[in-house]
Amino acid sequence: MKRHSYYFFALIFTIILLPFGSYTQDRPDTVTEVWEPVPPVVSPGEAGAPPSDAIILFDGSDLFGWEGRDGGDAPWEAVDGEMRVVPGTGDIRTREGFGDVQLHIEWKTPSEIRGSGQGRGNSGVFLMDRYEIQVLDSWENETYPNGQAASVYKQHIPLVNASRRPGEWQSYDIIFMAPRFNDNGRVIKPARVTVFHNGVLVQNNVEIWGNTEFIGLPSYREHSMEEPVRLQDHGDLIRFRNIWIRRL
Ligand code: MG
């Protein structure tokens, strides 16, 4: 073959093959594949058990991760794998602070019904020490709906009442996004919360209006990016177990 025809055929082959090469690199379906970051591997654990990357706040043995309202040891009891409110001793809170989280907590109101409305099996899970997801025996127990179990207290009524009977264990799975404040301490992004009550969606990414208030309207007051989880002593014999949290 003459030299000039060799170059000619090489050129033709290159022109024919070029699109195939670029096709494998830029196939239209691969353009939208995102390969990084690769999510860390997490073992989900057996049913009811915490996932492998969870911070265990209460595993049934002790209250070391908790403190009382004066900052001393938590005055509640750890008995038979449960954390029990000791009425009159006050709220307890985690020693560690948290911001954006997934929180799992199980709770039980007394099987013997005493009191009514807000006076029946009342406690609460306060995110960042100030935003309450209500704990209440809401099995056939009338009260204002924005104060029943799984309400964002006095802010958001739960979508449904997924309560179990008194004396049965119940669960909350909470996804909470902390509020953001600007340099002047004004809220620029309100907190948001999603709650599953016994696996049922009851709060769907609702906006929290500010600090939980018993009297008056809620409003935001600046706080740090990480604040404790607080559990309420409302004078009732509430029990908790299997409490774990994941930073988001
Ligand atoms: Mg309460």
Side-chain angles (χ1 to χ4, degrees):
M1 195 187 289
K2 281 183 181 163
R3 197 168 181 83
H4 68 267
S5 38
Y6 170 80
Y7 283 123
F8 175 75
F9 283 112
L11 181 67
I12 294 299
F13 268 91
T14 304
I15 287 166
I16 291 168
L17 292 175
L18 198 67
F20 288 97
S22 61
Y23 181 78
T24 53
Q25 274 167 20
D26 302 321
R27 263 169 36 197
D29 59 318
T30 65
V31 172
T32 46
E33 292 177 357
V34 178
W35 284 74
E36 282 184 338
V38 178
V41 174
V42 167
S43 165
E46 299 301 312
S52 58
D53 63 345
I55 298 166
I56 310 299
L57 296 178
F58 179 67
D59 68 357
S61 54
D62 58 63
L63 301 177
F64 289 156
W66 300 79
E67 62 184 18
R69 57 189 161 191
D70 59 357
D73 289 344
W76 295 7
E77 290 178 328
V79 184
D80 294 338
E82 305 168 351
M83 175 192 285
R84 297 181 180 174
V85 177
V86 178
T89 60
D91 298 358
I92 67 169
R93 58 178 179 243
T94 55
R95 294 187 185 277
E96 206 173 337
F98 301 95
D100 300 342
V101 292
Q102 174 186 355
L103 172 67
H104 175 88
I105 186 164
E106 296 173 25
W107 53 273
K108 184 166 79 167
T109 63
S111 49
E112 184 190 338
I113 295 172
R114 280 178 148 184
S116 62
Q118 293 289 308
R120 185 175 138 186
N122 194 330
S123 182
V125 179
F126 285 79
L127 298 150
M128 302 198 94
D129 209 23
R130 47 185 50 78
Y131 309 112
E132 184 185 14
I133 308 301
Q134 174 70 303
V135 169
L136 193 74
D137 177 0
S138 284
W139 177 268
E140 299 177 353
N141 178 28
E142 191 181 23
T143 187
Y144 42 95
N146 66 348
Q148 73 180 63
S151 63
V152 178
Y153 185 74
K154 286 195 170 173
Q155 298 189 23
H156 295 286
I157 297 168
L159 296 168
V160 292
N161 183 348
S163 297
R164 293 207 167 106
R165 290 172 177 275
E168 293 184 16
W169 283 105
Q170 313 203 40
S171 66
Y172 284 161
D173 288 282
I174 299 169
I175 297 147
F176 174 78
M177 300 303 286
R180 302 313 199 249
F181 300 91
N182 68 10
D183 292 340
N184 300 323
R186 291 189 60 118
V187 68
I188 50 172
K189 201 174 170 194
R192 287 194 164 268
V193 72
T194 295
V195 180
F196 293 86
H197 182 191
N198 297 322
V200 180
L201 181 68
V202 288
Q203 300 287 352
N204 186 8
N205 192 32
V206 295
E207 183 179 304
I208 294 177
W209 301 335
N211 291 6
T212 295
E213 300 288 357
F214 180 53
I215 297 167
L217 298 175
S219 63
Y220 276 101
R221 262 155 277 161
E222 191 186 16
H223 55 74
S224 67
M225 290 294 291
E226 298 206 320
E227 296 280 345
V229 175
R230 176 161 58 95
L231 301 179
Q232 186 182 42
D233 167 18
H234 201 278
D236 293 327
L237 300 168
I238 309 304
R239 297 166 182 202
F240 295 93
R241 71 176 186 190
N242 194 18
I243 310 172
W244 51 261
I245 200 164
R246 297 177 63 244
R247 287 201 168 87
L248 301 177

